[in-house]
C-alpha cells in the first residue's frame, strides 16, 4: 500500500495556495525531515508554479540527531546553529515565507539523557528566538503541514506492519487536512468561513474570563485586556492572508498572564520533543503554575516549566469541539499539530501578539501591560474532552454557556 500520490499532490497544493497563499516573486524557506522528501518536492513544484522566487529547503535527519546524543562531547548540548537562525530571521525580514513540514518520530529522544535533551532544547530555543519572534509576531505568511514518515506512523499504529501504518497515517492526514475531496481549496474556503463565525461571536461577547469544568478540572482563565479571538485564515503583517496550521479546528486567544486560577487535568498525553508526558495535573495561582504533576515524564515537565519565568504562565487558550474530524478519528497522533486540533487546549509560554485588537502595532511592553505572556517556549496541551463544559464570564460576572459536553453550546 503506497501513499496516494494524488492526495499527496493536493496536500502540497493546499500548503502552497491555502496554507501559505504564496505570492508571485516571494521566496520560500522550508524545513522538513528527510523522510518527507516526496512531499517537499511537490511543494517546491507548486511553489514555483505559483511564482516563487527561490525555494530553499533545510532537512533534519533522525539518524544524525541520534548520532549527536550517542557520540557528541558533553559541551555539544549547549550549542545551537545561531548563525542559521540569524539568517532565517534575515530572510523573514526580507518577506520570505516559511513552511515547516512536521513528521518526525515523536519518541525519537525518549531513551536519551533528559538533561542533555533539556540543555539542547534550551540552547536551540535561545538561538531560534530572533526567527521565532517573526513567526510568532506573524510578520510573514507561514504554514505547517505534516508528512507520514515511517517512524511516526509506527508510533500511531504500533500493531500494523510499517507500510500499512504509513498508509493509514497518510489517509488520516489527508482527511484531517481536507484534501481527500475533489476541491480541497474550496473545502478550505468553507471551513475558514465557519471558523470566522465562531471567533466573531466570541469577539462580540468580549468575555473577561472562561471557566472550564470537567473531571479533575476547575479552572478560570482570565482573558487579556483587548484580547482578540482568531481562527482559520488570518492576515500576516506583510498583508498576506494565510492558514498557518493545516489542519486547524481551533479558535484561540490570549489569556491574562496574571489571572488564571484553579486546577486542570490534561485530557491527552503531551508529546514534547521526544518525551511523552502523561497524566498532567497542575495548579495555578495568580496566573502562575505553583504545582505540577504527571504520571509519566514529570521530570521533563518540571524542566520545561523551569525554562524561564514565562514558562509557568499561559500564552494561549483555544476552543475545539469534541466532534472535530481529528477528534472523531479517535487516534492519538503524538503530534501537537494534530492532537491540539482534537481538543480545547491551553499553551504554556509565549503569547501571539496578533491575538490583541490592533496587535500588529503594539510594543512588547504594551502587550505585557495588557496581560500578554512572554517566554522562550510555546507548548500546547489538551484540556478539552466530551466531558468538559466552558462558560464565558462577562465583566459584570454574568455566565454564558460556550461549550456543553465538549460541543459549542
Ligand atoms: Zn492552539
Ligand atoms: Zn499554541
Amino acid at each position: 500500500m503506497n501513499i496516494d500520490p494524488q492526495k499527496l499532490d493536493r496536500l502540497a497544493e493546499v500548503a502552497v495556495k491555502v496554507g501559505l497563499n504564496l505570492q508571485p516573486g516571494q521566496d520560500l524557506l522550508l524545513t522538513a525531515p528527510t523522510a518527507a522528501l516526496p512531499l517537499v518536492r511537490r511543494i517546491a513544484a507548486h511553489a514555483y508554479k505559483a511564482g516563487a522566487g527561490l525555494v530553499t529547503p533545510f532537512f533534519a535527519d533522525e539518524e544524525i540527531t541520534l548520532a549527536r546524543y550517542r557520540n557528541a562531547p558533553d559541551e555539544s548540548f549547549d550549542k545551537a546553529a545561531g548563525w542559521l537562525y540569524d539568517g532565517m530571521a534575515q530572510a523573514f525580514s526580507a518577506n520570505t515565507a516559511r513552511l515547516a513540514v512536521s513528521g518526525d518520530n515523536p519518541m525519537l529522544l525518549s531513551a536519551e539523557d533528559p538533561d542533555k535533551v533539556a540543555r539542547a532544547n534550551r540552547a536551540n530555543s535561545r538561538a531560534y528566538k530572533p526567527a521565532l519572534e517573526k513567526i510568532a509576531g506573524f510578520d510573514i505568511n507561514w504554514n505547517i503541514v505534516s508528512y507520514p514518515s515511517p517512524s511516526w506512523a509506527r508510533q500511531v499504529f504500533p500493531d500494523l506492519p510499517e507500510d500499512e501504518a504509513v498508509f493509514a497515517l497518510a489517509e488520516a492526514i489527508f482527511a484531517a487536512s481536507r484534501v481527500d475531496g475533489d476541491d480541497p481549496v474550496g473545502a478550505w474556503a468553507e471551513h475558514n468561513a465557519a471558523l470566522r463565525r465562531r471567533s466573531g461571536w466570541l469577539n462580540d461577547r468580549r468575555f473577561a474570563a472562561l471557566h472550564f469544568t470537567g473531571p479533575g478540572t476547575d479552572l478560570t482563565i482570565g482573558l487579556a485586556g483587548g484580547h482578540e479571538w482568531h481562527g482559520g485564515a488570518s492576515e500576516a503583517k506583510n498583508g498576506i492572508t494565510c492558514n498557518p496550521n493545516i489542519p486547524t479546528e481551533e479558535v484561540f486567544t490570549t489569556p491574562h498572564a496574571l489571572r488564571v486560577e484553579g486546577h486542570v487535568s490534561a485530557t491527552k498525553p503531551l508529546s514534547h520533543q521526544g518525551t511523552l508526558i502523561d497524566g498532567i495535573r497542575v495548579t495555578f495561582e495568580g496566573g502562575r503554575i505553583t504545582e505540577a504533576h504527571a504520571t509519566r515524564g514529570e521530570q521533563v515537565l518540571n524542566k520545561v516549566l523551569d525554562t524561564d519565568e514565562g514558562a509557568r504562565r499561559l500564552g494561549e487558550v483555544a476552543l475545539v469541539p469534541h466532534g472535530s474530524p481529528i477528534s472523531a478519528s479517535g487516534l492519538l497522533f503524538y503530534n501537537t499539530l494534530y492532537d491540539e486540533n482534537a481538543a480545547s487546549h491551553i499553551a504554556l509560554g509565549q503569547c501571539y501578539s496578533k491575538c490583541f485588537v490592533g496587535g500588529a502595532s503594539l510594543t512588547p511592553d504594551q502587550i505585557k501591560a495588557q496581560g500578554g505572556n512572554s517566554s522562550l517556549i510555546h507548548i500546547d496541551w489538551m484540556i478539552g474532552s466530551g466531558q468538559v463544559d466552558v462558560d464565558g464570564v462577562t465583566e459584570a460576572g454574568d455566565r454564558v454557556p460556550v461549550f456543553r459536553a465538549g460541543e459549542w453550546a
Side-chain angles (χ1 to χ4, degrees):
M1 274 191 287
N2 291 318
I3 296 172
D4 185 321
Q6 195 183 13
K7 289 179 189 169
L8 191 68
D9 191 66
R10 282 180 186 152
L11 182 62
E13 184 184 6
V14 161
V16 170
K17 289 186 181 166
V18 178
L20 292 171
N21 189 13
L22 194 73
Q23 300 297 301
Q26 202 178 15
D27 292 346
L28 174 60
L29 189 160
L30 209 154
T31 56
T34 44
L37 191 55
L39 177 62
V40 172
R41 285 176 172 153
R42 285 175 166 83
I43 288 170
H46 281 285
Y48 282 123
K49 277 185 214 164
L54 184 65
V55 179
T56 306
F58 293 91
F59 288 96
D61 182 75
E62 292 180 353
E63 290 299 321
I64 295 174
T65 302
L66 288 179
R68 180 187 185 195
Y69 281 91
R70 293 180 185 167
N71 304 288
D74 187 67
E75 57 269 28
S76 166
F77 299 95
D78 297 313
K79 286 193 170 180
W83 55 270
L84 176 64
Y85 297 134
D86 290 347
M88 286 185 180
Q90 218 176 314
F92 300 151
S93 294
N95 200 36
T96 296
R98 160 87 160 103
L99 200 152
V101 179
S102 76
D104 305 289
N105 176 2
M107 302 305 283
L108 183 67
L109 301 179
S110 56
E112 308 304 321
D113 176 357
D115 186 56
K116 285 181 178 170
V117 174
R119 280 165 59 204
N121 286 342
R122 201 177 311 125
N124 197 64
S125 295
R126 280 202 189 112
Y128 188 41
K129 193 160 191 191
L132 180 65
E133 276 174 346
K134 293 185 191 303
I135 298 168
F138 212 23
D139 288 20
I140 41 122
N141 46 328
W142 61 269
N143 170 242
I144 175 167
V145 287
S146 293
Y147 182 83
S149 48
S151 57
W152 179 25
R154 280 198 306 267
Q155 187 72 38
V156 181
F157 298 101
D159 301 330
L160 295 181
E162 184 173 288
D163 63 328
E164 288 176 34
V166 167
F167 180 82
L169 181 57
E171 289 298 309
I173 287 172
F174 296 146
S177 305
R178 294 178 154 81
V179 299
D180 51 349
D182 288 335
D183 178 19
V185 175
W188 271 93
E190 220 170 276
H191 181 47
N192 275 324
L195 290 169
R196 210 159 38 238
R197 280 195 301 277
R198 300 294 191 202
S199 53
W201 182 81
L202 287 161
N203 283 327
D204 289 345
R205 294 298 168 285
R206 302 238 54 83
F207 291 126
L210 295 179
H211 182 206
F212 285 75
T213 48
T217 292
D218 184 350
L219 185 71
T220 300
I221 301 177
L223 300 180
H227 70 269
E228 190 168 76
W229 288 90
H230 284 268
S234 56
E235 192 185 326
K237 284 182 194 161
N238 64 0
I240 299 169
T241 297
C242 65
N243 264 91
N245 290 347
I246 288 190
T248 186
E249 302 290 336
E250 62 173 346
V251 294
F252 58 103
T253 195
T254 304
H256 197 295
L258 309 178
R259 294 185 195 151
V260 184
E261 305 288 342
H263 57 271
V264 59
S265 298
T267 49
K268 281 174 182 282
L270 166 63
S271 167
H272 177 64
Q273 297 182 325
T275 308
L276 198 71
I277 309 174
D278 202 1
I280 305 174
R281 288 166 293 126
V282 306
T283 303
F284 284 89
E285 286 172 42
R288 190 168 183 276
I289 293 179
T290 52
E291 222 185 304
H293 298 285
T295 51
R296 180 176 171 187
E298 184 172 294
Q299 201 190 353
V300 175
L301 174 65
N302 279 299
K303 277 195 198 306
V304 167
L305 294 176
D306 287 338
T307 307
D308 55 24
E309 174 54 28
R312 286 183 179 270
R313 298 181 186 275
L314 296 186
E316 178 192 345
V317 56
L319 298 172
V320 178
H322 184 62
S324 86
I326 299 169
S327 176
S329 76
L331 296 170
L332 180 64
F333 287 87
Y334 302 93
N335 175 326
T336 301
L337 178 60
Y338 281 76
D339 293 324
E340 80 159 335
N341 281 302
S344 293
H345 56 272
I346 48 184
L348 300 169
Q350 182 65 40
C351 73
Y352 290 110
S353 60
K354 76 165 177 178
C355 288
F356 287 95
V357 178
S361 56
L362 292 177
T363 65
D365 281 344
Q366 287 170 317
I367 287 172
K368 190 179 174 192
Q370 288 181 219
N373 192 32
S374 111
S375 171
L376 291 171
I377 63 163
H378 177 100
I379 298 173
D380 298 277
W381 52 287
M382 297 358 114
I383 62 166
S385 74
Q387 292 172 284
V388 172
D389 292 343
V390 184
D391 279 348
V393 185
T394 66
E395 205 68 64
D398 296 328
R399 304 177 75 89
V400 180
V402 178
F403 268 46
R404 282 295 174 267
E407 301 297 333
W408 286 99

